[in-house]
Amino acid sequence: QEQLVESGGGSVVSGGSLRLSCVATRYTYNSPCIGWFRQAPGKEREAVAVTYTGGGSTYYADSVKGRFTVSRHNSENTLYLQMNSLKPEDTAMYYCAAQRGDYPEFHVLSCAFKNWGSGTQVTVGS
């Protein structure tokens, strides 16, 4: 059973919007940290937005601050990423990730991410 399933990617023109969804199992969703990463061809994976369940804080990459918003729908175990004012440089595969899981650790932003979805492609045309 997939524990993280992303959807909502697509192709938009610059300035457009998309909303990504990540449906998780309850156990995975209640990870101490859960968030969104992205990876463009030839580039390293980067954290886009991460939420911390315990303290309620949220991290945003500088490149998306003011444009992207992460939110949680707790009753549906779903994490969202609202992306506005999209730019061509936002083009990437977007992944949902959580701490609870069995993958090798990817340690960043004080969280050891061990669970990943298969990703959803976002393409922004100029």
Side-chain angles (χ1 to χ4, degrees), residues 37-55:
F37 288 71
R38 67 185 181 187
Q39 187 166 21
K43 295 189 176 181
E44 293 187 354
R45 177 173 39 183
E46 65 169 336
V48 175
V50 175
T51 67
Y52 297 85
T53 304

Side-chain angles (χ1 to χ4, degrees), residues 11-90:
S11 296
V12 297
V13 297
S14 182
S17 298
L18 286 171
R19 188 177 79 156
L20 306 184
S21 301
C22 171
V23 179
T25 62
R26 180 178 295 272
Y27 174 75
T28 303
Y29 181 79
N30 288 327
S31 292
C33 42
I34 184 170
W36 292 94
F37 288 71
R38 67 185 181 187
Q39 187 166 21
K43 295 189 176 181
E44 293 187 354
R45 177 173 39 183
E46 65 169 336
V48 175
V50 175
T51 67
Y52 297 85
T53 304
S57 62
T58 302
Y59 161 87
Y60 289 100
D62 287 342
S63 58
V64 308
K65 282 181 181 177
R67 301 188 298 123
F68 290 12
T69 304
V70 63
S71 60
R72 304 175 68 130
H73 195 314
N74 294 335
S75 64
E76 296 184 354
N77 301 323
T78 301
L79 186 74
Y80 296 102
L81 183 68
Q82 178 66 44
M83 305 186 296
N84 298 328
S85 302
L86 283 162
K87 304 175 181 180
E89 51 263 44
D90 294 318

Side-chain angles (χ1 to χ4, degrees), residues 93-109:
M93 185 71 81
Y94 283 70
Y95 299 92
C96 183
Q99 179 169 327
R100 289 178 173 173
D102 299 316
Y103 285 68
E105 286 188 7
F106 181 76
H107 207 284
V108 66
L109 300 171

